[in-house]
């Protein structure tokens, strides 16, 4: 591996400077992404065509000195493979044609075979690894069971989570059956990505922060912990660093670290300095610049980078990232300024 900063930071080993990658680094803020998506016809075709998924994975790396590639795909590939029929339309967000509407629907769900039903993903991982040729590590990922369940039951994004929370409160057995199926599906999917060549694995728990502490532990953290255990039980995948990211989970970091993962993603509402005090040297930390800083002037981007680096402080185990995904309106030039600022300001003497 020519650039192993990310792997070293995740193992909390010394680095020459702090590694950085950006959530949603391949996406609509890049004109070449929009061009390739146009050529593919739509977002799902882009995900399902390994050569095109590889092309858009590499696009941000051609522009910026990022320290990792992340597989171009989506967390909703698993429910799509379960038969819920995903569509993602411009300006509308994701939507399922056949959302789950009864406990019968839940009982009928099967665990997708990653090499068969999701073979386009593992194939994309193989093609990307070949094209990266050892330049930077490749991150594979999946959604957390709770976050996938919210989309599967709501049928689309939600503000208040009325349907999924009604299921959780009124039919908790059905809710647990759904989460169990998702734990097995996500574990097999992550293990298959590792076998295909993913060198880091990340679980996106985008909606964990919508839960009470008790419900977070029962319905989001416990399923994620079982995924960590299942991935660790696979001989080949067991040594791969695992990152858990609960958006809005800053107050539960010590609990999340108990899962046995290697690193925690932090959104921008968390102080990395306080987070370190809470988790000690058990895990590395990833984050956590406010994504909106990328709309500010260069001097302000530089200052915001200084604040994040200073907040983490000295020592090993920091992966720089945004606190959530980059948004479509960002000027790519500001991403260049960010990446250069992180590397320059964090350079160890
Ligand atoms: O980070 C990367 O560059 C890898 C690619 C990636 C995508 N989605 C591509 C994508 C990753 C890691 C995801 C994860 C994902 N998808 C999450 C978890 C992370 C998070 O942001 O909290 C969630 C909740 C989803 C579900 C999803 N997919 C949403 C909400 C949307 C719509 C976003 C929007 O602004 O319309 C998608 C579609 C999607 N996934 C796009 C991309 C680049 C935009 C699709 C397009 O080109 O129009």
């Amino acid at each position: 591996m020519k650039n192993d900063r990310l792997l070293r930071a995740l193992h909390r080993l010394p680095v020459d400077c702090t590694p950085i990658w950006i959530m949603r680094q391949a996406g609509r803020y890049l004109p070449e992404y929009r061009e390739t998506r146009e050529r593919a016809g739509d977002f799902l075709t882009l995900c399902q065509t390994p050569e095109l998924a590889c092309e858009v994975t590499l696009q941000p790396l051609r522009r910026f000195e990022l320290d990792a590639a992340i597989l171009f795909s989506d967390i909703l590939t698993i429910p799509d493979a379960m038969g819920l029929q995903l569509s993602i339309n411009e300006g509308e967000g994701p939507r399922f044609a056949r959302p789950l509407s009864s406990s019968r629907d839940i009982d009928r769900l099967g665990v997708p075979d990653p090499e068969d039903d999701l073979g386009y993903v593992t194939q994309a991982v193989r093609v990307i690894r070949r094209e990266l040729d050892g330049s930077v590590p490749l991150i594979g990922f999946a959604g957390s069971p709770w976050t996938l369940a919210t989309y599967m039951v709501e049928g689309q994004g939600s503000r208040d989570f009325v349907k999924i929370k009604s299921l959780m409160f009124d039919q908790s057995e059905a809710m647990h059956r759904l989460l169990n199926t998702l734990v097995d599906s996500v574990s097999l999917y992550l293990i298959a990505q590792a076998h295909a060549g993913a060198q880091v694995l990340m679980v996106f728990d985008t909606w964990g922060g919508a839960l009470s502490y008790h419900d977070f532990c029962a319905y989001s953290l416990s399923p994620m912990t079982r995924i960590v255990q299942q991935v660790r039980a696979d001989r080949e995948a067991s040594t791969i660093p695992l990152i858990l990211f609960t958006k809005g989970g800053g107050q539960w970091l010590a609990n999340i670290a108990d899962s046995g993962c290697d690193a925690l993603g932090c959104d921008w509402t968390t102080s990395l300095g306080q987070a370190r005090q809470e988790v000690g040297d058990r895990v590395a930390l990833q984050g956590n610049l406010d994504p909106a800083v990328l709309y500010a002037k260069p001097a302000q981007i530089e200052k915001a980078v200084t604040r994040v680096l200073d907040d983490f402080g000295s020592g090993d185990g920091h992966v720089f990232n945004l606190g959530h995904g980059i948004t479509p309106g960002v000027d790519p030039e500001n991403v260049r300024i960010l990446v250069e600022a992180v590397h320059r300001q964090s350079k160890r003497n």
Side-chain angles (χ1 to χ4, degrees):
M1 180 73 52
K2 285 166 202 140
N3 175 347
D4 64 353
R5 278 178 198 135
L6 174 71
L7 297 175
R8 291 184 64 83
L10 290 171
H11 286 119
R12 286 173 288 111
L13 296 169
V15 282
D16 60 335
C17 64
T18 301
I20 173 171
W21 68 277
I22 294 172
M23 286 190 270
R24 294 269 175 100
Q25 63 191 23
R28 282 170 296 182
Y29 74 105
L30 291 177
E32 59 270 36
Y33 168 82
R34 296 197 298 268
E35 201 263 323
T36 311
R37 194 190 55 183
E38 200 71 20
R39 191 146 52 89
D42 60 37
F43 173 76
L44 277 184
T45 309
L46 192 51
C47 292
Q48 290 167 353
T49 313
E51 288 68 28
L52 294 179
C54 175
E55 165 61 22
V56 291
T57 299
L58 299 181
Q59 284 171 350
L61 295 151
R62 294 192 190 113
R63 275 185 185 249
F64 316 118
E65 299 216 340
L66 294 158
D67 296 297
I70 177 162
L71 165 69
F72 188 82
S73 187
D74 199 82
I75 63 166
L76 302 177
T77 51
I78 285 183
D80 185 56
M82 288 171 157
L84 276 67
Q85 292 182 10
L86 174 66
S87 60
I88 295 184
N89 298 321
E90 183 86 68
E92 227 193 30
R95 194 178 278 275
F96 288 113
R98 305 177 59 196
L100 303 177
S101 54
S102 67
S103 73
R104 287 247 312 282
D105 287 351
I106 291 173
D107 291 336
R108 275 200 289 262
L109 290 175
V111 174
D113 177 336
E115 282 295 352
D116 185 6
D117 308 314
L118 290 159
Y120 62 89
V121 177
T122 47
Q123 187 53 23
V125 170
R126 291 187 193 94
V127 174
I128 297 165
R129 271 299 300 274
R130 187 187 70 213
E131 293 301 314
L132 282 173
D133 194 24
S135 51
V136 292
L138 176 62
I139 304 167
F141 69 91
S144 74
W146 162 254
T147 296
L148 295 179
T150 64
Y151 283 102
M152 293 168 78
V153 171
E154 300 286 342
Q156 59 191 66
S158 172
R159 274 176 191 281
D160 46 23
F161 304 99
V162 168
K163 290 181 185 155
I164 186 74
K165 288 193 177 181
S166 301
L167 180 73
M168 177 176 84
F169 294 130
D170 289 334
Q171 296 180 260
S172 86
E173 270 184 31
M175 181 75 202
H176 280 298
R177 285 201 303 280
L178 171 56
L179 292 171
N180 288 343
T181 304
L182 287 168
V183 165
D184 290 342
S185 302
V186 170
S187 301
L188 288 176
Y189 185 54
L190 290 173
I191 290 167
Q193 289 181 39
H195 290 182
Q199 291 144 302
V200 173
L201 296 171
M202 175 154 166
V203 176
F204 288 89
D205 184 31
T206 306
W207 300 124
L211 291 166
S212 69
Y213 172 65
H214 170 272
D215 294 332
F216 172 71
C217 292
Y219 297 96
S220 181
L221 182 54
S222 162
M224 287 198 288
T225 303
R226 283 181 282 146
I227 290 167
V228 173
Q229 289 163 351
Q230 289 200 33
V231 173
R232 297 275 195 243
D234 179 88
R235 199 171 50 85
E236 223 180 305
S238 61
T239 53
I240 295 198
L242 259 165
I243 309 167
L244 299 189
F245 171 52
T246 293
K247 181 154 183 290
Q251 65 279 46
W252 308 317
L253 293 176
N255 302 84
I256 304 172
D258 289 340
S259 67
C261 66
D262 299 281
L264 302 181
C266 297
D267 69 37
W268 64 95
T269 63
T270 304
S271 152
L272 292 183
Q274 283 174 16
R276 275 182 92 177
Q277 288 181 354
E278 279 159 38
V279 300
D281 58 5
R282 291 193 293 155
V283 287
L285 297 176
Q286 175 172 284
N288 69 345
L289 188 75
D290 181 346
V293 166
L294 288 174
Y295 291 97
K297 296 195 170 63
Q300 299 308 318
I301 297 175
E302 289 276 354
K303 271 193 200 158
V305 166
T306 312
R307 275 196 293 270
V308 171
L309 291 171
D310 287 353
D311 190 11
F312 183 86
S314 59
D316 307 310
H318 182 206
V319 175
F320 205 106
N321 205 316
L322 304 182
H324 200 201
I326 187 169
T327 50
V330 167
D331 179 351
E333 208 38 50
N334 284 354
V335 175
R336 180 188 319 284
I337 289 164
L338 168 67
V339 173
E340 285 179 10
V342 169
H343 285 156
R344 174 171 24 81
Q345 293 190 30
S346 67
K347 195 148 184 62
R348 316 291 201 265
N349 306 308

